[in-house]
Amino acid sequence: MEDQVKGQSSGQGIGARVPRKEDARLMRGRGNYVSDIILPNQSEVAFLRSPLAHAVLRGITKPQGLEGSVYVAADLTGVKPMEAPCTVPNYKISVQHPLAHEKVRFVGELVAMAVAPTRAAAEDICERIEVDLDELPALVDAHEARRSATRVHDAWDDNLYLTLNYDNGFDEHARNAPVVVEREINMSRQAMVPLEGKAIVADWDHRADQLVVYTSTQVPHVIRIGLAEMLGIGEGQIRVIAPDVGGGFGYKCVLQPEEVCVAWLALTHKRPFRYVEDRREHLIAGANSRQHNYKLKAYADERGRLLALDAEVTIDGGAYSNWPFTVALEPGQATGNLPGPYDFRGYRCKTYCVATNKPGFLPYRGVARTSVCFAIELMIDAIARKVGREPWDVRNENLVQPQAMPYNNVARKHYDSGDYPKSLLAVRQDIDFETWRARQKQGEADGRRIGIGFATYCEQSAHGTSVFAAWGLPLIPGYDQATVRLLPDGSLEVRVGIHSHGQGMETTLAQIAHEILGVDISRIRVVHGDTGQTPFSTGTYASRSIVMTGGAVAKTCEALVPRLLAIGAHLMQCASNTVSMMPGRVVGPQASVSLKDIAEAWYRRPQLLPPDVDVNGLEATVGYRPQVDTGVFSYASHAAVVAVDPEVGDIEILDYVIAEDCGRMVNPMVVDGQTMGGATQGIGTALFEESPYDANGQPLASTFMDYLLPGPTEVPKFRIRHSETLSPYTAFGIKGMGEGGAIAPPAVLFNAVNDALRGLGVEVAETPLTPRRLLAAIEGARPKEPQP
Amino acid sequence: MKAPAFDYQRPRDLAAAAAALRGASGNAKLLAGGQSLLPMLNLRLARPGILVDISRIEELRGIEDRGDALRIGAAVTHAELEDRPLAGGAMLREVAHGIAYRSVRNRGTIAGSMAHADPAADWPLALAVLGATLIVDGAQGRRTMPAGDFMQGPFTTRLADGDIIIAVDVPKLSRGARFGYYKFCRKTGEFPEASAAAVFDPETKQARLYVGALPGAPQPLDDLAYDLAERGLPALTEAAVDRAVAQIPNLEPIARRMQRAAVTRAVRQAFAA
């Protein structure tokens, strides 16, 4: 604990609002992204993508005279298809060839690749490739695909990746419930839309005898394993570098077929090739997340106390399961997290994950939790309306109480700590609930209707070995390591295997190192994103990096402390039990020596070292994982006030407040930034973003004309309040929080709109809430809610 | 998403631009601000052999006060109209200010928008309600076309092959005249879901009212405009708006609901005391 006081007093340690070190380059446009890398003799790659959602691939004719510039599946010698196994019973493996083989299964699937000096020329070549396709019926709707005789994967006996059945005390607790509320709730398919899409430059380094792949990824070490497997070469022959990455959100936590193709070109031709995904490709082939359907029946008492929940969840899994996380992650997280922060004892959930002719589902910021939060929070409000009580009261009474922590919920999730009701009360006060209720009663002069919405969620973060091992994925996270090295000038190098692409970890990891060693953070370099320079980690996903790698950095710095003390004591000619660490110095009874003096002794004046010096020197690599690895649970409540214009269907967010708790905050400013960014994406899910398809599986939103994102004028000024309930299981009590902001906004905004429209008998439950959807609901409103 | 190869010419003056168009025999496209054309090129939806860039031709860049009207050069940008107060041109300024984003306004041009003829765009609606006239030059010589029936349908105009819009003449509003302009966009900068524009001159008791963002060209609501001119706001009843909007063909119920709101709101702005 003394260390923490030390760090905070310097204004740089854990808890300090330190400006992000990486912003010096990123805010000045000096970041170095894959697309900034231009190598001599580099060719550009363009992909020809399937124009049909489902078809037999009869043949491909390369343009005459350009045969050498075009590659199809048969040309990719030595490349294995991507298959991601998973030990969940009855899970079916999809076989994905990087370039389509025998069949195409979604619009945008890679069919062929063309190589030319410029991207435009490569696209010209693509236009001249003839593809002979025999169209098959497209499976566009997950419910229909479940019943259809058409198969996305011909070897399967149905279109189900997997079905999960969970029952814990359902009958017993549902049996005598006096109140039953039934709803169908839909979250639509969308894309993730990072500022930077996929981007790959691959080259062959003759000196190192290595394939060097620069790629925009969250998980460089995982990509190295994946490429070695798919290309059939040794891992030592591959170096993966992820330079600055313009946002990941889950889109870049899996091996992409484009990475395999471009790496194969460089491996085969021993020269550089580049591919940069454009926005249209992203919106078509990257329409891969969020699409869940819920059929829910909630059983409650007359006060709205939830007794049991019966759920049927259908997830539109798209055409392929990804490597390494698999499409099973989504139904697993949906089933496990649907009960949310609530205390009830009867739960039955049947979850179908269905193959369709759309891009394969990928884990997007929040992974299933945005959808389950949307579902359960709309149900809580529906129960409250049914029993005639304030949704806030019903929500509050159903929450897990702080004295129940740690709490094992009905889905056997272990909630480590937290005070959920406190956060719900905080947002009620911060939004000024009573004032808005009063104004709502008066009505608005402009005819708009005011509504107030709440939602509470908890966010499993940094779940580790035991959780992933239970799913039996091809790659399971274990210990994360950090390498820390004091350099001869007394500055510090911290090498980590995760990647930072917006999370500010070049700063927060430096703060953690500063906390232990007291080196000024301007003299701490955090090195990440290069398999050639960093210890292994499965990378950045599942809100894990600050917990896992942050813990590793702390443990590694701590391992250096006795070595520094021993050298320091020797230099001061005093006993080693009389010295201690102070910021940047070792202090003895009469004098002190700086870390620079100690480093100089080790590296340049070894004649000054004590005879029993630790020969491992001033560099260490230590691994870390939390005592309990089932995840630590951050949580938050959000509240919003909206004004709904029932004539045109406009929704204006008048106020939005957040009370979050992610344990010890390493840097509250970074927590604010992550929360705002996430909540902005959540507003996108709630009101704007959608990747619709026609009956033939053709995507209808392939440019920003049709695919809308929230912009500065659509995003309110979030007011954020923090509390810190420390996790008992992690270093410093830190919890992960990278995804949380994106979880609650759809729930909050729909609850607010439903509150606004209560008098009209309108209830909406399908994202995004476009003006047209809202007006259709108003025009079709039935005054009574359907009886169960 | 890179454009296929094309030739590019930047003629010095109007005569050279006309010659370039004639020489290309239908294979050329005029480029002014490029805010619609360039995305279409990159999506490979438009594939002209030659782009004739008229954005810097001086003759197309002026704004001239002609007493009862303003003559706006074809290549005048939305931003120039947004930034420059013009006597009798307050509505032009307000409409320009609301077009897309500033980066679009910096390049997009008034006549480019008319020639592109997106039914949801601002200028086709605003210039119709203002009673503006387009001045066009081409093989059939120099002639004028009223803005109100310039658009023939989505992305279709009365322009013949080789025609160039030279300028737009916009009649000045009188001192007492008022206007209303309402559009509903899902977010700032998007094309609207519904839009309406109204002008009313209490001295002459003249009113005009148009609806935009339709499946086709902006539509006048003359009967409602006439009643409003005669009786003022009391003529703006729900039934009257319903009747007027019901005359617009091919509107589904939700669009109709939005357009009713747009009409009501634009009229209120124009007729509010």
Side-chain angles (χ1 to χ4, degrees):
Chain A
M1 285 297 115
E2 199 183 65
D3 283 343
Q4 281 155 20
V5 175
K6 192 169 63 191
Q8 286 192 344
S9 64
S10 71
Q12 294 189 343
I14 290 180
R17 285 186 171 264
V18 179
R20 303 199 321 171
K21 285 158 63 82
E22 47 269 70
D23 285 346
R25 67 174 190 281
L26 298 177
M27 295 292 105
R28 290 184 173 92
R30 291 173 190 154
N32 192 14
Y33 298 87
V34 172
S35 309
D36 295 317
I37 297 167
I38 296 168
L39 301 176
N41 197 26
Q42 170 178 298
S43 288
E44 296 283 343
V45 175
F47 287 100
L48 178 66
R49 292 170 180 274
S50 174
L52 297 179
H54 197 192
V56 175
L57 181 53
R58 292 267 172 240
I60 302 174
T61 312
K62 298 179 184 180
Q64 227 174 9
L66 290 167
E67 288 86 352
S69 304
V70 174
Y71 300 85
V72 300
D75 298 319
L76 302 189
T77 48
V79 174
K80 293 194 196 76
M82 295 157 66
E83 296 178 37
C86 159
T87 56
V88 174
N90 304 319
Y91 166 80
K92 299 191 194 75
I93 294 177
S94 64
V95 180
Q96 182 175 17
H97 294 262
L99 296 176
H101 174 67
E102 294 179 348
K103 254 175 102 167
V104 291
R105 295 183 175 86
F106 65 93
V107 173
E109 181 168 3
L110 306 183
V111 170
M113 85 182 144
V115 169
T118 66
R119 172 66 177 255
E123 289 184 20
D124 289 345
I125 296 171
C126 283
E127 285 190 337
R128 296 175 53 195
I129 301 171
E130 284 171 30
V131 183
D132 184 8
L133 293 170
D134 242 357
E135 190 162 11
L136 296 166
L139 296 167
V140 184
D141 178 84
H143 293 103
E144 280 172 27
R146 254 180 69 194
R147 294 186 294 268
S148 174
T150 303
R151 293 278 172 271
V152 176
H153 297 281
D154 298 340
W156 296 11
D157 54 8
D158 56 24
N159 287 313
L160 287 162
Y161 284 107
L162 75 134
T163 307
L164 297 176
N165 275 303
Y166 185 87
D167 190 339
N168 184 2
F170 173 74
D171 282 333
E172 180 196 342
H173 291 93
R175 194 177 302 132
N176 297 316
V179 174
V180 182
V181 176
E182 191 170 1
R183 289 290 185 279
E184 180 165 356
I185 294 165
N186 273 308
M187 186 158 274
S188 295
R189 181 165 282 251
Q190 66 171 95
M192 301 188 210
V193 205
L195 278 175
E196 181 203 26
K198 294 175 192 172
I200 305 136
V201 173
D203 191 13
W204 185 263
D205 180 339
H206 285 279
R207 184 188 60 78
D209 194 33
Q210 270 185 326
L211 175 67
V212 180
V213 180
Y214 302 86
T215 182
S216 182
T217 186
Q218 303 165 223
V219 292
H221 291 274
V222 167
I223 298 305
R224 177 160 82 152
I225 293 176
L227 287 176
E229 272 190 32
M230 307 308 158
L231 298 174
I233 61 173
E235 283 188 38
Q237 279 189 298
I238 303 177
R239 178 177 175 190
V240 173
I241 300 171
D244 281 324
V245 168
F249 311 121
Y251 190 56
K252 302 171 183 174
C253 75
V254 299
L255 183 67
Q256 307 279 3
E258 291 91 341
E259 285 170 330
V260 178
C261 290
V262 177
W264 179 87
L265 282 170
L267 173 68
T268 304
H269 297 287
K270 302 286 189 281
R271 63 180 186 88
F273 293 85
R274 179 171 86 157
Y275 164 72
V276 180
E277 179 186 68
D278 67 34
R279 195 54 71 186
R280 188 152 188 267
E281 291 180 291
H282 179 78
L283 292 175
I284 293 172
N288 56 22
S289 56
R290 291 281 188 261
Q291 192 167 14
H292 290 204
N293 167 270
Y294 292 85
K295 295 191 172 83
L296 299 179
K297 236 179 191 178
Y299 296 77
D301 70 13
E302 289 93 345
R303 301 276 297 161
R305 188 78 169 82
L306 193 55
L307 301 171
L309 181 68
D310 193 11
E312 184 185 299
V313 185
T314 306
I315 294 170
D316 184 333
Y320 296 104
S321 181
N322 66 80
W323 189 95
F325 290 111
T326 80
V327 75
L329 188 67
E330 194 77 13
Q333 287 289 69
T335 309
N337 287 296
L338 181 58
Y342 298 109
D343 174 29
F344 62 95
R345 283 291 145 211
Y347 179 43
R348 183 165 71 186
C349 184
K350 186 153 193 152
T351 304
Y352 301 99
C353 184
V354 189
T356 60
N357 292 117
K358 297 178 190 169
F361 205 108
L362 294 188
Y364 176 33
R365 192 177 198 173
V367 186
R369 286 159 297 196
T370 302
S371 308
V372 297
C373 173
F374 183 59
I376 193 76
E377 292 301 290
L378 262 58
M379 286 307 278
I380 295 287
D381 273 38
I383 292 167
R385 279 192 292 276
K386 177 90 172 179
V387 300
R389 297 186 65 207
E390 268 292 353
W392 189 92
D393 294 329
V394 171
R395 176 166 285 105
N396 189 48
E397 288 167 24
N398 276 300
L399 288 174
V400 174
Q401 298 299 306
Q403 61 273 17
M405 292 290 181
Y407 174 86
N408 293 313
N409 88 342
V410 70
R412 300 194 180 89
K413 294 271 177 196
H414 179 71
Y415 295 170
D416 60 311
S417 58
D419 187 341
Y420 302 163
K422 186 176 145 197
S423 76
L424 186 60
L425 181 62
V427 291
R428 178 190 173 109
Q429 289 165 346
D430 288 350
I431 201 97
D432 203 356
F433 179 65
E434 278 76 16
T435 305
W436 282 111
R437 271 278 179 262
R439 179 165 158 186
Q440 189 184 34
K441 282 206 186 78
Q442 285 170 8
E444 299 295 298
D446 60 8
R448 294 196 298 176
R449 304 175 78 97
I450 299 284
I452 310 140
F454 293 95
T456 303
Y457 67 88
C458 55
E459 174 194 5
Q460 187 177 18
S461 72
H463 26 307
T465 309
S466 61
V467 175
F468 286 86
W471 292 327
L473 302 184
L475 205 143
I476 291 152
Y479 290 87
D480 268 54
Q481 294 171 316
T483 298
V484 177
R485 178 188 293 161
L486 194 66
L487 299 185
D489 63 359
S491 67
L492 204 65
E493 221 173 58
V494 175
R495 296 171 179 267
V496 291
I498 51 88
H499 192 275
S500 179
H501 36 273
Q503 297 89 344
M505 284 185 293
E506 290 173 30
T507 306
T508 49
L509 293 178
Q511 287 180 263
I512 289 173
H514 172 87
E515 185 74 38
I516 309 295
L517 297 175
V519 177
D520 193 277
I521 67 163
S522 67
R523 305 191 73 218
I524 301 175
R525 299 172 65 82
V526 174
V527 179
H528 63 96
D530 186 342
T531 59
Q533 294 198 40
T534 62
F536 179 82
S537 164
T538 52
T540 294
Y541 56 91
S543 297
R544 66 190 300 279
S545 296
I546 199 64
V547 173
M548 301 298 298
T549 298
V553 169
K555 296 298 161 204
T556 312
C557 288
E558 282 165 8
L560 292 180
V561 168
R563 305 182 199 177
L564 295 166
L565 292 178
I567 298 174
H570 184 75
L571 292 177
M572 291 183 282
Q573 295 297 302
C574 57
S576 58
N577 62 0
T578 63
V579 297
S580 61
M581 281 296 301
M582 290 294 277
R585 306 186 77 75
V586 170
V587 182
Q590 268 110 44
S592 71
V593 286
S594 67
L595 295 190
K596 180 173 187 299
D597 293 336
I598 293 169
E600 189 170 291
W602 170 260
Y603 289 104
R604 302 174 65 175
R605 312 265 183 266
Q607 68 275 22
L608 299 178
L609 295 173
D612 60 346
V613 69
D614 186 332
V615 297
N616 293 307
L618 303 182
E619 175 173 335
T621 300
V622 177
Y624 170 81
R625 90 181 183 202
Q627 298 160 27
V628 173
D629 73 351
T630 52
V632 286
F633 286 77
S634 294
Y635 62 95
S637 292
H638 291 205
V641 178
V642 298
V644 179
D645 182 336
E647 297 311 314
V648 295
D650 188 38
I651 297 163
E652 186 189 353
I653 302 170
L654 301 178
D655 198 6
Y656 200 114
V657 302
I658 297 170
E660 74 82 40
D661 182 348
C662 60
R664 171 83 73 218
M665 288 184 286
V666 177
N667 184 332
M669 197 154 66
V670 169
V671 173
D672 282 345
Q674 287 284 298
T675 304
M676 291 175 200
T680 298
Q681 286 181 307
I683 288 173
T685 299
L687 303 180
F688 298 103
E689 298 183 55
E690 184 179 12
S691 304
Y693 286 80
D694 73 8
N696 298 316
Q698 290 293 329
L700 300 175
S702 64
T703 73
F704 283 151
M705 281 279 284
D706 299 309
Y707 189 99
L708 299 196
L709 291 163
T713 50
E714 287 71 50
V715 177
K717 186 174 163 50
F718 300 107
R719 296 188 287 131
I720 303 168
R721 178 208 282 243
H722 305 286
S723 17
E724 295 187 308
T725 308
L726 306 193
S727 171
Y729 304 136
T730 65
F732 308 105
I734 296 170
K735 301 177 184 178
M737 56 75 56
E739 300 166 83
I743 293 176
V748 174
L749 294 172
F750 274 66
N751 279 342
V753 169
N754 285 336
D755 184 59
L757 300 180
R758 208 162 24 154
L760 301 177
V762 171
E763 200 177 297
V764 285
E766 181 175 16
T767 65
L769 192 46
T770 62
R772 286 177 175 274
R773 271 201 182 103
L774 181 56
L775 293 184
I778 290 173
E779 298 240 319
R782 299 280 172 277
K784 275 199 64 74
E785 69 169 55
Q787 292 299 309
Chain B
M1 214 166 65
K2 299 285 180 199
F6 55 83
D7 287 333
Y8 173 83
Q9 296 181 9
R10 197 164 73 211
R12 227 164 243 295
D13 54 29
L14 209 43
L21 280 187
R22 275 197 306 276
S25 49
N27 193 25
K29 199 90 179 136
L30 291 179
L31 172 68
Q35 296 304 291
S36 300
L37 180 56
L38 293 190
M40 286 167 68
L41 283 173
N42 283 338
L43 290 167
R44 300 189 170 212
L45 294 172
R47 313 185 71 123
I50 305 167
L51 285 188
V52 179
D53 184 347
I54 56 169
S55 62
R56 299 191 208 178
I57 293 177
E58 266 318 304
E59 296 152 272
L60 304 179
R61 306 245 339 109
I63 298 176
E64 192 190 332
D65 190 331
R66 296 169 67 89
D68 58 348
L70 294 161
R71 176 160 290 185
I72 314 289
V76 169
T77 64
H78 315 317
E80 288 170 277
L81 292 168
E82 176 183 22
D83 292 347
R84 187 160 153 188
L86 298 167
M91 184 168 178
L92 291 176
R93 197 176 184 200
E94 178 167 321
V95 170
H97 173 66
I99 296 173
Y101 306 91
R102 179 71 193 198
S103 57
V104 171
R105 301 197 287 272
N106 282 339
R107 288 199 172 267
T109 63
I110 187 166
S113 168
M114 293 301 289
H116 182 59
D118 188 319
D122 290 273
W123 289 127
L125 172 66
L127 295 179
V129 84
L130 283 166
T133 304
L134 281 70
I135 299 158
V136 175
D137 208 350
Q140 299 161 43
R142 190 164 289 214
R143 59 215 195 274
T144 61
M145 299 179 183
D149 71 349
F150 178 73
M151 191 193 296
Q152 302 286 288
F155 309 102
T156 315
T157 69
R158 289 177 56 197
L159 289 177
D161 195 34
D163 276 347
I164 303 177
I165 304 172
I166 309 298
V168 184
D169 276 354
V170 186
K172 287 184 185 174
L173 291 177
S174 69
R175 276 172 159 272
R178 296 196 294 266
F179 63 88
Y181 192 80
Y182 178 85
K183 60 175 177 172
F184 171 56
C185 307
R186 280 185 66 192
K187 55 175 268 199
T188 306
E190 291 303 313
F191 280 107
E193 304 271 317
S195 63
V199 292
F200 173 53
D201 188 338
E203 283 166 34
T204 59
K205 284 221 161 191
Q206 294 281 313
R208 273 192 303 271
L209 176 59
Y210 271 78
V211 183
L214 298 171
Q219 296 286 315
L221 301 182
D222 289 340
D223 293 350
L224 181 56
Y226 180 82
D227 282 352
L228 284 161
E230 288 297 306
R231 300 195 286 126
L233 271 185
L236 187 74
T237 62
E238 242 179 77
V241 174
D242 278 355
R243 242 188 342 268
V245 173
Q247 291 162 14
I248 302 170
N250 304 321
L251 271 193
E252 29 84 27
I254 289 171
R256 201 169 292 280
R257 185 181 177 110
M258 288 181 178
Q259 294 292 12
R260 282 200 305 258
V263 167
T264 305
R265 291 169 193 190
V267 167
R268 281 214 190 103
Q269 287 173 21
F271 286 83

